[in-house]
Amino acid sequence: MISKWVRSFTAAAAVLAAGVAGAQSRFNLQEPQSIIARQIYDLHTLIMWIIVVIFVVVFGAMTWAIIKHRKSVGHKAEQFHENTTVEIIWTIIPFFILIGMAYPATKTVIAMKDASSPDLTIKVTGYQWFWGYDYLQGEGEGVSFFSRLATPREQIENRAPKGDNYLMEVDNPVVVPVGKKVRIITTANDVIHSWFVPALGVKQDAIPGFVRDTWFKVDNPGTYRGQCAELCGKDHAFMPIVVEAVAPEKYAQWIAGQKKKMAAQADDPARSWTLDELKTRGEKVYAANCVACHQANGMGLPGTFPALSGSKVVNGPKEGQINTVLNGVVRDGKPTAMVAFGKQLSDTDIAAVITFTRNNWANKTGQAVTPADVKALRK
Amino acid sequence: MDAAHVHNGHGAHGHRNTGLMRWVTTTNHKDIGTLYLVFSLTMFFIGGLLALGIRAELFQPGLQFWQPEFFNQLTTMHGLIMVFGAIMPAFVGFANWQIPMMIGAPDMAFARMNNWSFWLLPPAALLLVASFFVPGGATAAGWTLYAPLSTQMGPGMDLAIFALHIMGASSIMGSINIITTILNMRAPGMTLMKMPLFVWTWLITAYLLIAVMPVLAGAITMLLTDRHFGTNFFNAAGGGDPVLFQHIFWFFGHPEVYIMILPGFGIVSQIVPTFSRKPLFGYSSMVYATASIAILSFIVWAHHMFTVGMPAATQLFFMYATMLIAVPTGVKVFNWIATMWKGSLTFETPMLFACGFIFVFSIGGFTGLVLAITPVDIQLQDTYYVVAHFHYVLVAGSLFALFAGAYYWLPKWTGHLYDERLGKWHFWLSMIFFNVTFFPMHFAGLAGMPRRVPDYALQFADFNMISSIGAFGFGLAQLIFVYAIVKCVRGGEKAKDKTWEGAEGLEWQVPSPAPYHTWETPPVIR
C-alpha cells in the first residue's frame, strides 16, 4: 500500500523533474541500471519531494515574516512566547515524516545486503593505483586480470585534446553478463579503496586484509563507468572502473578469449632472453607499474618516492633489487608505498623491469637479470 | 579586533604590561578573547588560500597548477586548518569575550590556564603550516587521516599529529575553564534556566569537547605508534584493523561537527530575538533540543562509514539514530521562525547573517537528511554531494553564525558602530558567492564525481568551473570583513551601551566599549 503510494508519487515526481531538467538529467543521479540503483533513485526522489514541501512551508513562513512583520512597514512586535501545544506538534509531525522515509529505506538496505546465491562471483582488489579482478566462481572461473587507466598522460597534462571518456576509460574492463546476479568481493593490497559504479548503485570499500561484499544485476547491455571513491593517495583520481555488461552469449565468447589470452601470456620458462629483449619488455612493465612514483626520468619525487637513477639498490647486487621488487619495502614492520610486486607480476616481467632499470638513465651495470634469477629468490 | 587597547588610558588597574608582553602575559578574558579571534581570522585566511589553490586546479579538467600529491596536501590541510585553526578557536574567542559578561562574572574561572590554552595554539598552527616544508610535504591523507594511508605519509603527518595533540589539549583546557566559569560564577539569581542561550550552547559544547578530544588524541597516538614504534592497531598484516581507526575517528568526528555548530545556534538564538524585538519563542525547548542533539551525536558516528561494509542491523540502527537528529534540529529552526513571526523586524548585518544562516544552514540540514538514508548515502558517500553538504553546514552554518556574532558584538568590544554599508556588502556577496560555489557541487556529486580528486571527467567540467568562480568571489568578499573590522576598531560612530534597540542581557548593561574589567560587583538577577 505504502510502496504503491511511493511508486506513484515518485513516478509523478520523475515526470516533473524531467520536465524541469530535461530527460536524462544532468542535475540528478545517473540513470539507474540495476534494481538497487533504481530503488536508490526512487528513494532519493521521494525524499527530495518531502524536503521541497517542508522547505516551501517553513521558508514560506519565514519569507512572509520578513516581508510583512518588519519594523519599516510599521509592524509592532507581539510578545507571545512558549506554547506547549505548538511545540509538541512540531516535534511529533517530523517524527512521523521520518517514519515514512525510514520504511522504504529499510527495505532497500535489506535488499542491498542480500548478496546470497550469486550466478557469478568476482573478487576486486584495489591497488595503488589500479584494480585487479579475479573471477572466482561461476562462468569464467579462473579469469584474472588487472585494469588500469587508459587515458594517455598527454591528455592529463593538457598536451593533447581530451577524449570523450577522459579519465573514465581502462585497458581491461570488467565484463559481466546482463540479468545475472554478480557478487563483488572487495579487498585491497595497500590502503583502503572504494569500488564505485554509480549507475549500478554499488559502492563498497576495499579494505586491506579484510573482505567485504556487495552485489548487482545489470538490466541492460552497456558500458558503466565509475571511479575509486576513497582517497588512496596520489593517483586516487586516476583509477577508474569500467563495467561492460553484455548478453550471455557474448559473455561466453569473452571468457573463451580471455582464457586463450592468459594461456598465450604465460611465458615459456625455458626461453632464454637477451639483454635488449629484456630491456624492451621492461620498459613497458615500468610504464605500467612504476612510472607513477619513480617517474619517467627515474628521479622519483624527492622526499616521497626515491630516485632509481643512481640508486644504490639498483646499482648494487641484483639479489637486493629483486628482493625489493618481489617483497616491497617494509619499514618498522609496516608496508610502505613500495608494495610487493611478487604477486602481481610474472618472473619474466620482474626480470625485465629490473634489467631495464639497471641499464637506463645514469645506471649502466650492463647486467641482465633473468627470469630464473627471480624464480630462485621467490619464497 | 584589537579592541582593548583603547582603554590603555584608564589606569585603575595599572599592573598590566604594555606592548607585546601585555598580550603574552594577559590573563584578562577580553584580551584572550581578542587573541583567539585574531588567531582564528588569520587561520581562516590561510585555510582560505589553500581552498583557492584547490579551486584553481579544479577550474578545468586536466592538471594545470599542482601535481596530485600536492593537491591532496591542499585538501587535507584546508580541512585541518579550517576545523581546528579557524572555526573552533573563533567560537572559543566568542566564549571568552561574552560568557563572563553575559553571566555577570568578572573573568574566567582559571585566568592563567586561559592564557596557556590560547598560547598553545600558535605553536600548533606553526607545526601545521611548517609541515608543507618538510621532505614529502604536508600530510595528504585527508583531514580524516584514515589509516593505513596515513601510515604511508612522510614526516608532515607527524607534525600534523603533534599539532592536533596540542590543539586538543588547548580545547580541553578551554572547556574546563568554560564549564567551571558557567557553573560557579553566575551572578546571584541567574539560575541555569535563566542563562542566555549562547551560554547554554557553550556549556553543552564544552562537555562534548571534553568527551571527544581525548578520543581523537587516542586515535592519532595509535597512528603515531603504528608509524614509528612497531604497533599494529590499524595494520591488518599485524592483526590490526584499518576500520577501527574510522570508528574511533568518527566517534570523535561526529560530536565534533556539533561542537562547531552548537555555539553558532547559540549566537543566532541571541540575535534573532534582538532584531525581532520579541523574546525567543521557546527558550526551554531550545535548551532541550541542544542537549538532545548533543546526546544523539554520540550514537550516529557510523553514518560516516556506511560503505565500509557492516551488517544490515548496524546500518539500520545508525540510519534511524541519524534521522532522529532531524527532530531537535527542526525544533530549533521552527523556534527561530516563530520568534520572527509577528515581531518587528529590522535587518542590520547581524540579523542578515542570522537569517542567511537559518536559510542556508537548513539546506545543509536537508541534504543531511538525504545522506542519513543509508542506500542513498552509499550512492553519495565520498562524492561532491557530501562536500556540498558539509560546507552548507560549516560555512553557511558555523561561519555565518560567527560573522553574525562578530557584527552583533563588535560595537560592544570596540565602542564603535561598524560600517553598516560594508556589513551589508559583505553579507550579500558572501551569500551569493557561497551558493555559486557550493550549490553546483550537489549536481556534480549526484552525477558521481568523487571528492578529493585533482582532475575529473569532462561531464563535471561546467559545475566545477562555476564552483571555482564562486570560490574566488567568496574569498575576495571576506576582505570586506577584515576592512570592516579594522575600520570599526579604529573609529566610527560611538556605540550606545545598549547598541541594539531590542537587545536583552547583561552584556548590554556595561559600557561600550566594555571596560577592561566588568562585573567586579556581580549584578543581581531577579
Side-chain angles (χ1 to χ4, degrees):
Chain A
M1 162 68 192
I2 291 182
S3 70
K4 205 171 183 184
W5 175 78
V6 166
R7 220 172 297 137
S8 51
F9 190 68
T10 49
V15 171
L16 265 170
V20 174
Q24 167 54 48
S25 167
R26 325 176 42 208
F27 300 97
N28 205 340
L29 292 165
Q30 290 185 17
E31 188 71 32
Q33 298 291 346
S34 74
I35 177 155
I36 294 293
R38 184 160 314 103
Q39 287 186 20
I40 292 173
Y41 189 96
D42 292 346
L43 267 173
H44 177 256
T45 311
L46 167 72
I47 295 158
M48 280 310 291
W49 281 106
I50 294 175
I51 286 172
V52 166
V53 171
I54 299 174
F55 185 89
V56 168
V57 171
V58 172
F59 290 98
M62 182 166 149
T63 310
W64 183 266
I66 287 175
I67 294 169
K68 295 285 184 180
H69 304 153
R70 45 201 302 152
K71 199 183 176 192
S72 56
V73 297
H75 197 271
K76 294 269 180 301
E78 293 177 21
Q79 293 302 311
F80 65 84
H81 60 96
E82 314 271 339
N83 182 326
T84 314
T85 321
V86 172
E87 291 176 74
I88 286 175
I89 289 173
W90 72 34
T91 311
I92 298 290
I93 290 181
F95 194 77
F96 282 107
I97 296 175
L98 289 178
I99 291 175
M101 289 160 66
Y103 178 73
T106 303
K107 287 206 294 193
T108 305
V109 167
I110 290 165
M112 285 173 102
K113 277 284 156 196
D114 180 19
S116 60
S117 36
D119 298 311
L120 184 64
T121 304
I122 304 175
K123 183 176 91 167
V124 178
T125 310
Y127 295 87
Q128 282 175 317
W129 292 272
F130 54 94
W131 295 97
Y133 296 98
D134 297 277
Y135 288 59
L136 293 187
Q137 167 265 319
E139 192 184 356
E141 192 177 320
V143 168
S144 165
F145 56 90
F146 295 107
S147 175
R148 290 183 171 83
L149 178 69
T151 305
R153 280 311 286 183
E154 294 82 57
Q155 291 190 15
I156 296 172
E157 286 161 4
N158 308 311
R159 288 183 277 118
K162 296 179 179 23
D164 283 346
N165 293 318
Y166 177 69
L167 293 191
M168 300 293 253
E169 50 200 344
V170 296
D171 51 2
N172 302 309
V174 205
V175 179
V176 296
V178 290
K180 294 268 162 58
K181 184 169 184 177
V182 181
R183 178 177 181 228
I184 295 288
I185 295 180
T186 64
T187 187
N189 188 52
D190 30 53
V191 298
I192 301 175
H193 302 266
S194 191
W195 201 77
F196 172 34
V197 184
L200 305 181
V202 169
K203 183 185 285 142
Q204 179 57 56
D205 289 3
I207 303 163
F210 289 82
V211 171
R212 296 285 197 265
D213 71 350
T214 182
W215 68 276
F216 61 83
K217 192 190 273 182
V218 191
D219 299 340
N220 302 304
T223 307
Y224 306 110
R225 298 168 199 275
Q227 286 174 275
C228 176
E230 183 64 62
L231 178 64
C232 55
K234 188 167 78 66
D235 284 350
H236 164 56
F238 305 100
M239 48 183 292
I241 296 147
V242 178
V243 177
E244 252 169 44
V246 295
E249 313 81 65
K250 269 194 159 173
Y251 177 72
Q253 280 170 19
W254 178 80
I255 289 293
Q258 281 295 308
K259 293 214 157 144
K260 220 177 277 169
K261 213 160 115 192
M262 283 171 71
Q265 264 174 1
D267 293 299
D268 176 7
R271 176 176 168 187
S272 68
W273 296 74
T274 68
L275 179 73
D276 280 340
E277 281 172 348
L278 284 169
K279 268 183 74 173
T280 317
R281 174 145 174 188
E283 191 168 2
K284 282 187 201 137
V285 180
Y286 187 85
N289 296 282
C290 320
V291 74
C293 299
H294 293 297
Q295 305 295 308
N297 59 8
M299 294 312 290
L301 293 172
T304 327
F305 306 115
L308 297 184
S309 184
S311 146
K312 269 190 219 147
V313 178
V314 178
N315 291 292
K318 61 185 177 187
E319 288 74 19
Q321 193 184 357
I322 296 174
N323 267 325
T324 306
V325 178
L326 273 179
N327 307 318
V329 175
V330 177
R331 199 172 292 131
D332 305 328
K334 303 283 173 324
T336 60
M338 179 66 197
V339 297
F341 283 93
K343 270 181 281 175
Q344 301 171 32
L345 299 178
S346 68
D347 291 347
T348 316
D349 280 342
I350 291 178
V353 76
I354 291 177
T355 308
F356 170 72
T357 57
R358 290 171 86 82
N359 297 285
N360 200 23
W361 314 301
N363 308 333
K364 299 194 167 48
T365 59
Q367 212 177 25
V369 173
T370 64
D373 293 336
V374 178
K375 195 167 184 213
L377 284 171
R378 271 197 197 265
K379 279 174 210 147
Chain B
M1 272 174 269
D2 183 0
H5 78 266
V6 282
H7 324 294
N8 270 349
H10 88 94
H13 307 278
H15 305 296
R16 273 187 278 151
N17 288 307
T18 51
L20 183 66
M21 282 316 281
R22 168 190 164 189
W23 296 102
V24 176
T25 58
T26 184
T27 55
N28 179 284
H29 73 99
K30 300 187 182 77
D31 279 359
I32 293 172
T34 305
L35 285 171
Y36 266 109
L37 292 172
V38 171
F39 172 82
S40 64
L41 193 63
T42 314
M43 296 309 279
F44 172 60
F45 276 91
I46 296 175
L49 217 57
L50 302 183
L52 294 186
I54 295 169
R55 286 317 320 175
E57 179 57 58
L58 293 176
F59 183 65
Q60 283 184 319
L63 296 178
Q64 281 85 20
F65 296 94
W66 325 117
Q67 286 304 306
E69 185 72 13
F70 184 69
F71 180 89
N72 290 346
Q73 297 177 24
L74 288 179
T75 53
T76 305
M77 297 305 283
H78 165 70
L80 288 175
I81 287 179
M82 285 305 199
V83 168
F84 294 99
I87 300 288
M88 289 170 69
F91 280 123
V92 183
F94 275 86
N96 262 291
W97 255 102
Q98 290 307 125
I99 289 177
M101 283 206 288
M102 291 170 103
I103 63 174
D107 206 310
M108 297 294 281
F110 305 114
R112 272 174 215 288
M113 186 166 84
N114 204 13
N115 170 294
W116 182 226
S117 55
F118 171 76
W119 280 107
L120 282 173
L121 290 179
L126 218 59
L127 281 178
L128 272 184
V129 176
S131 71
F132 273 111
F133 304 100
V134 300
T139 169
W143 87 279
T144 50
L145 310 175
Y146 277 9
L149 183 61
S150 48
T151 47
Q152 277 186 358
M153 294 291 144
M157 183 75 221
D158 301 313
L159 295 191
I161 290 176
F162 293 136
L164 289 183
H165 271 133
I166 298 173
M167 288 173 158
S170 158
S171 286
I172 292 170
M173 281 190 254
S175 305
I176 292 172
N177 218 336
I178 287 167
I179 293 173
T180 315
T181 308
I182 295 173
L183 293 185
N184 292 301
M185 297 176 67
R186 296 191 311 278
M190 180 176 281
T191 57
L192 283 176
M193 288 310 273
K194 278 187 188 165
M195 291 196 310
L197 223 81
F198 176 69
V199 180
W200 250 118
T201 52
W202 242 117
L203 180 65
I204 291 167
T205 303
Y207 274 106
L208 285 182
L209 271 167
I210 287 190
V212 299
M213 289 314 285
V215 178
L216 173 69
I220 58 178
T221 305
M222 286 192 252
L223 207 55
L224 192 72
T225 61
D226 262 19
R227 284 168 56 77
H228 297 294
F229 305 114
T231 57
N232 289 304
F233 293 110
F234 310 126
N235 175 19
D241 183 351
V243 179
L244 174 68
F245 181 86
Q246 300 184 23
H247 280 294
I248 303 174
F249 182 87
W250 286 114
F251 187 81
F252 146 80
H254 201 80
E256 168 70 15
V257 308
Y258 293 113
I259 287 166
M260 290 189 282
I261 196 65
L262 293 183
F265 287 167
I267 291 174
V268 171
S269 305
Q270 301 295 131
I271 291 173
V272 170
T274 297
F275 296 96
S276 304
R277 292 162 182 79
K278 195 165 155 279
L280 192 64
F281 179 77
Y283 172 88
S284 39
S285 67
M286 283 296 239
V287 172
Y288 299 140
T290 311
S292 319
I293 293 174
I295 290 163
L296 283 173
S297 77
F298 285 102
I299 55 162
V300 296
W301 78 89
H303 69 213
H304 297 269
M305 308 163 48
F306 280 144
T307 61
V308 300
M310 52 180 99
T314 318
Q315 289 192 339
L316 290 175
F317 169 80
F318 283 106
M319 174 172 84
Y320 299 148
T322 306
M323 291 171 82
L324 271 184
I325 291 190
V327 176
T329 313
V331 166
K332 290 203 156 272
V333 174
F334 300 147
N335 256 304
W336 289 320
I337 292 174
T339 307
M340 291 166 72
W341 191 253
K342 301 214 164 166
S344 178
L345 304 174
T346 51
F347 295 93
E348 289 85 347
T349 310
M351 185 61 165
L352 283 178
F353 270 108
C355 291
F357 167 97
I358 298 172
F359 178 67
V360 194
F361 172 81
S362 297
I363 296 179
F366 284 136
T367 54
L369 195 55
V370 173
L371 289 169
I373 309 297
T374 308
V376 182
D377 178 84
I378 286 175
Q379 184 73 285
L380 296 174
Q381 160 102 54
D382 273 319
T383 68
Y384 257 83
Y385 194 90
V386 175
V387 178
H389 160 70
F390 67 69
H391 281 93
Y392 265 81
V393 290
L394 272 178
V395 178
S398 308
L399 187 63
F400 277 19
L402 285 163
F403 287 152
Y407 286 109
Y408 185 56
W409 284 309
L410 259 180
K412 179 56 61 185
W413 300 339
T414 64
H416 306 129
L417 295 179
Y418 60 88
D419 185 331
E420 194 62 58
R421 209 165 47 94
L422 283 177
K424 292 210 158 91
W425 270 104
H426 178 218
F427 168 74
W428 285 109
L429 289 178
S430 294
M431 185 73 176
I432 292 165
F433 282 121
F434 168 80
N435 284 292
V436 173
T437 310
F438 294 105
F439 206 76
M441 290 185 185
H442 291 115
F443 301 129
L446 285 170
M449 177 172 165
R451 62 191 282 214
R452 296 163 165 168
V453 291
D455 196 3
Y456 47 82
L458 301 180
Q459 70 262 35
F460 309 124
D462 298 351
F463 294 134
N464 274 284
M465 189 173 277
I466 298 170
S467 283
S468 290
I469 293 169
F472 278 86
F474 188 82
L476 288 175
Q478 303 322 309
L479 297 177
I480 302 175
F481 181 52
V482 180
Y483 180 58
I485 294 168
V486 172
K487 201 172 163 198
C488 178
V489 170
R490 303 181 95 188
E493 199 184 322
K494 177 101 185 59
K496 285 187 288 215
D497 295 353
K498 186 177 162 185
T499 312
W500 311 109
E501 186 191 16
E504 300 282 346
L506 293 177
E507 79 264 41
W508 306 109
Q509 295 174 20
V510 301
S512 292
Y516 201 58
H517 297 284
T518 40
W519 300 130
E520 284 166 295
T521 325
V524 177
I525 288 84
R526 283 167 287 110

